[in-house]
Structure formats: C-alpha cells, structure tokens
Amino acid sequence: MLDLTLTEIAEALQGELVITDAAADAGYSPATVVNGTVDTDSRLIGEGDVFVAKRGEFDDGHRFVGAAVESGAALVVVEHAFADAEREAGRQLPVAQIVVDDSVIALGHFATDVVSRVRASGNLKIVGITGSNGKTTTKNLLRAVLERVGETVAPRDSFNNEVGAPLTMLKLTPTTRFLVAEMGASGKGEITRLIRMAKPDVGVVLTVGLAHAGEFGGIETTLATKTEMVIDLDESDVAVLNRDDARVAGMAGKTRARVLWFGLGDDSEVRATEIEASASGTTFILHLPDGQSRPVRFAVLGEHHVMNALAAASAAHVLGVAIDDIVGALETVTRAERWRMEVMGGGDRPTVINDAYNASPDSMAAALKTLAQIAAPGQRTVAVLGEMSELGPYSVEEHDRIGRMVVRLNIGKLFVVGEGARAIHLAAEHEGSWGGEAVFAADADEAYALIAAELRPDDLVLVKSSNSARLRFLGDRIAEATT
C-alpha cells in the first residue's frame, strides 16, 4: 500500500477517524503514517497492516478485530467504534480506528483513491479481464508476461469481486507499472462498479457462456453484464475481444475503444495456428498484428487454454511487450492455477487431472475433450464429475448434455458424485446403455471408496466440478492413492 496518513485514509474511506486514549498512549495521531497490507481476513494480518471488519453471510468480521490487533494491525476499519467507555472491559483498542457506514463500500472508496494517486504518476497501466470462463488463467498468464518488464500487481486466487478486486488494487505502490484486475460479477452493475474504481486502459472479454447463468437470470443478462467491461472505455483505450465467441464479438459495436481481435481464425489479429495438444501441453504458432510469429510450447494442459494465452498475448502486445518476452513467459507457466487442469500423480499411480475448482458447461466440455484427446493408445480414461452450480433453469439440461458427451467421447469409466450431478449419470446410462461403466456416488467419501477399488496404475483420470461440490479434495486423494 502507499504511505498514507490516518487522516488521508479516513478521507479516502469517507469515514471518521477515532483515536482512543489507549491508541493515543500508543503514539497514534492523525498524522501517523500507515503503509501495511489491507485485508478482511484477520488470519492474514501482520505487523503494520490494516484490518477491514466486514459483515458476511455467515459471520461478522468485527468479532476478529481483537485478533487482528494482537497480530499487529496498525489500523482497523469498523462499522462501530471500540470506544474509551469499553476500556475497563478490556475492549478498548490501542490502535487507530476508522468508522464507516459500510465496510465493503468504504473498501471500494479506498481502492479508488489509491488507484487515482498511483495513476497521477503517469506510469500505471491497467488491464481488466472478464468472461464466463478463463479469467483466472488469463490473469496468471498475463501477470507472468508483464512481470518480465515491470512491477505488476495481480489478484491472488480468484479475487475478482467487490471485496477481492479492491484488496488487489490496494497493493499498488508508487512504482507499480501494471495492474491486472480480474473482474467477476454475479449481477448487473458489478463490473461497472469495479471499472469505476480502476478504469482499464485495456479491457479483455474472454467468453460469454452459461457459467452463473442461474444467478444472473439468463444468458442475455450475462451478456449485458460482461459488456460492461467495454462500455466505459475511452477512444484511447483498447478492447481485446474474442473473435470466435459471437456474443463477445458483438461487443465491438458497444465500445468507443479500438478493438483488437484474438481467436483461431484468419480474421483475428492475434491468433494461433498449427495447434497440437498432448499430455505434456499444447504447441502452437503465435501470430501478432505486426506480422511477427513465434512457436510456443505451452505446458498448461488443454487446447482450450490456448485462447487464454492469446488473450494474455493480446493485452501484453497492446502494452508494448516484445513477442520474445511474451512467448518466454507463456512457456514458463506450468499450470493454470491450483486445482485448474492440475496434473497430479503418475509413475506407479494413476495420472489425475484435477480441475475441480470451477465448472460451467463450456469448461466441463473442454476438459472432457482434453481427457479424450491426450490419452495414450490403450490408456483407460476415467471421468469423475460433480455438479456444475448456479445454472438455474438450465441445470438439468446442461448436466444431461455432459452425460451424453462422456459416452460420445468414449470415456472408459464415469463416476458421478452428488445429487446435483445425478442427471449426468442418468444421461450417460441412457445414451450408452452401459453395463456398469457409469457409477453414481452420493458423496466424495463414497466415491473415493468406489474409485480406489477400481483404479489402475496407468489410468488417466479427470476430476471436474464446481467449487461448491468440493471434489478438488477428492482429486487430491485419488492422486495420492496407491494401487
């Protein structure tokens, strides 16, 4: 974070600075400078950090203010003060407090202020990334590229909402050259809110699909929400759009920014040719708009991740990164993210592709195609599939489609886990009239017992589900199993 006085922080948060007698005794004053990391998780607070007490669906961060102070917090942001009157009860805090009406809204105000201060230096460039699939992978790839040429701030994990995005923005320093902001949403207006905290110079839209369609209320609402990424861009900005996704391509008419197309077709300015996928990754030729091209040995598993690599390459090209730096960085990334097409096991154990952090109909289909595509001749393929959440009225239809796809791809064995995914099992049995090739388990423990009894050392296993199904831990168990 920047070096800011308590008064400056209170003004940014639009809150009231409270310095109790205990805090004053500890040396705090309005001019005290704070520059620690900002977080809403008290377990991550260290010496000099800022703890934001946020009310959540299941808990209240105000319960952990004391723990944050004990861990070294220099400032707490709260919705009610721990005042002098509480001193005898041992609750008065020996650190500064800023009292706000709503911690999440205040966090957004704080991020907006910090981004504005760093932008004033003239060196900061911001890339915003959104899409139904691929945001985190693209963010990680772009971070790897940009870190080669300058100080880069990007989210950890999938920090892309009204809390995670501001926390990332608050990591900016006066010397940061690039901010990569992953911008997710669960409803209309949320991406607009994030963009107004940190308006991108480059706005990237990857896909518009059925991920979270139930939460959004339908594909048209999803499209409108993702379009928010490009609507507020200026003429001097660049919209990086997926030419191969018709819904994304239609956004070109909604923005004032210059459009840079990426995709697999000849009509894309940044494109890939000669794509070859294998169990060790994917090779392709990267082509840039200036006529330059280079071969890429891309270790991230799955041909579908080539599109994410193209999106990252497009944004990096706009920012002036040389093609050799782009390719060099892409080739250093070995996995999309923990539990995202992560290859585990092998040797005398089955090889497991653990991709159970997120799942949508598009990403589920892509992962299954990869499983079928990279299997060695004679190698048995096994799919362990759980629920794709947040599909609303599309849920049964889309799970049914996946079950039929498993059969059509000739996957050797199917384990379906959890009642929410039962339609996959029913569809596979109906499509293939299998004799035991499709198995249903009520939960992960039952599934593990069934799977472990049947595993062969040379099996190739895909574990795929939404995060809420928690099959990522089942994937870890399968990879560690001995036969």
Side-chain angles (χ1 to χ4, degrees), residues 248-422:
V248 175
M251 295 180 189
K254 304 287 187 180
T255 185
R256 295 169 293 171
R258 175 171 70 87
V259 173
L260 178 66
W261 299 108
F262 70 93
L264 302 183
D266 292 339
D267 53 353
S268 293
E269 297 159 278
V270 178
R271 66 188 190 280
T273 60
E274 300 181 33
I275 300 172
E276 294 186 12
S278 70
S280 60
T282 308
T283 61
F284 62 94
I285 306 296
L286 171 66
H287 301 267
L288 295 184
D290 57 9
Q292 295 189 83
S293 62
R294 295 286 190 281
V296 181
R297 298 183 64 85
F298 191 45
V300 178
L301 195 64
E303 186 176 314
H304 55 291
H305 282 305
V306 171
M307 291 296 286
N308 299 325
L310 293 178
S314 299
H317 175 73
V318 170
L319 295 172
V321 181
I323 189 170
D324 289 334
D325 284 325
I326 293 173
V327 173
L330 292 178
E331 292 188 335
T332 66
V333 179
T334 58
R335 68 179 185 186
E337 180 69 89
R338 178 78 166 103
W339 297 308
R340 287 178 170 90
M341 296 301 285
E342 182 177 11
V343 180
M344 312 170 74
D348 61 350
R349 295 178 294 175
T351 299
V352 177
I353 304 168
N354 196 343
D355 193 29
Y357 192 86
N358 273 320
S360 68
D362 290 338
S363 67
M364 184 77 83
L368 286 167
K369 289 175 183 175
T370 297
L371 176 66
Q373 186 177 38
I374 68 173
Q379 184 177 29
R380 185 174 72 157
T381 52
V382 179
V384 181
L385 307 181
E387 182 180 9
M388 301 178 288
S389 63
E390 299 177 2
L391 292 178
Y394 305 97
S395 183
V396 173
E397 175 186 349
E398 292 301 323
H399 284 88
D400 181 277
R401 184 172 68 87
I402 292 301
R404 295 174 189 277
M405 177 179 288
V406 169
V407 177
R408 293 167 187 172
L409 289 172
N410 201 30
I411 304 302
K413 188 80 179 184
L414 170 65
F415 294 90
V416 178
V417 187
E419 192 61 38
R422 185 181 285 274

Side-chain angles (χ1 to χ4, degrees), residues 205-206 208 223 241-254 259 261:
V205 185
L206 302 168
V208 175
L223 172 58
L241 302 180
N242 181 352
R243 184 72 169 180
D244 297 351
D245 185 309
R247 294 186 179 96
V248 175
M251 295 180 189
K254 304 287 187 180
V259 173
W261 299 108

Side-chain angles (χ1 to χ4, degrees), residues 34 103 175 184 190 192-193 209 211 301 340 361 409 418 435 471 476:
V34 175
S103 295
T175 55
E190 293 184 12
T192 295
R193 188 179 307 119
L301 195 64
R340 287 178 170 90
L409 289 172
L471 294 199
D476 290 345

